[in-house]
């Protein structure tokens, strides 16, 4: 199930960005995701493992990890970062410190 989510959610991100910028999106825009598929799958796998470990340790670390890594998909799709770079950059987006 996570494989479908790993590829479907970025498609929504890409279409929303195209609609915001150009006002139109088409199927050929989605074909650009095929180059990002390995990065998106690795991102989803590693993020899921981290969050699961955090949930097993205690609920709050899992929630914390889920929150700090929630922007990583955007960075892979919109900025073209590798999955680990996106996870590191997503950690820097927290604003409560």
């Amino acid at each position: 199930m996570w494989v479908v989510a790993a590829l479907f959610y970025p498609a929504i991100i890409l279409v929303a960005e195209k609609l915001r910028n150009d006002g139109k999106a088409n199927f050929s825009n989605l074909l650009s995701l095929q180059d990002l598929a390995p990065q998106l799958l690795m991102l989803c796998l590693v993020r899921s493992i981290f969050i699961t470990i955090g949930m097993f340790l205690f609920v709050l670390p899992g929630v914390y990890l889920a929150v700090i890594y929630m922007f990583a998909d955007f960075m892979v799709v919109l900025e073209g970062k590798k999955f680990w770079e996106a996870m590191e950059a997503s950690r820097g987006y927290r604003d409560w410190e």
Side-chain angles (χ1 to χ4, degrees):
M1 185 66 182
W2 65 268
V3 173
V4 174
L7 298 175
F8 185 68
Y9 184 57
I12 294 172
I13 294 170
L14 185 63
V15 168
E17 180 68 13
K18 290 293 182 183
L19 289 174
R20 187 177 71 95
N21 289 338
D22 305 334
K24 56 179 129 173
N26 54 30
F27 185 72
S28 64
N29 298 132
L30 297 178
L31 293 178
S32 66
L33 288 177
Q34 70 185 3
D35 298 333
L36 298 175
Q39 294 299 318
L40 292 167
L41 291 173
M42 285 299 296
L43 170 67
C44 191
L45 177 67
V46 171
R47 182 177 50 196
S48 297
I49 290 170
F50 283 2
I51 293 170
T52 302
I53 290 171
M55 289 293 187
F56 278 127
L57 292 175
F58 192 62
V59 173
L60 290 179
V63 171
Y64 173 76
L65 290 172
V67 169
I68 65 170
Y69 291 137
M70 69 187 206
F71 293 113
D73 290 313
F74 290 92
M75 293 177 189
V76 170
V77 173
L78 300 178
E79 297 177 11
K81 293 186 177 188
K82 303 290 184 197
F83 82 94
W84 193 255
E85 294 171 358
M87 290 179 74
E88 291 292 320
S90 181
R91 273 192 335 179
Y93 272 41
R94 62 187 192 272
D95 196 13
W96 58 77
E97 294 183 339

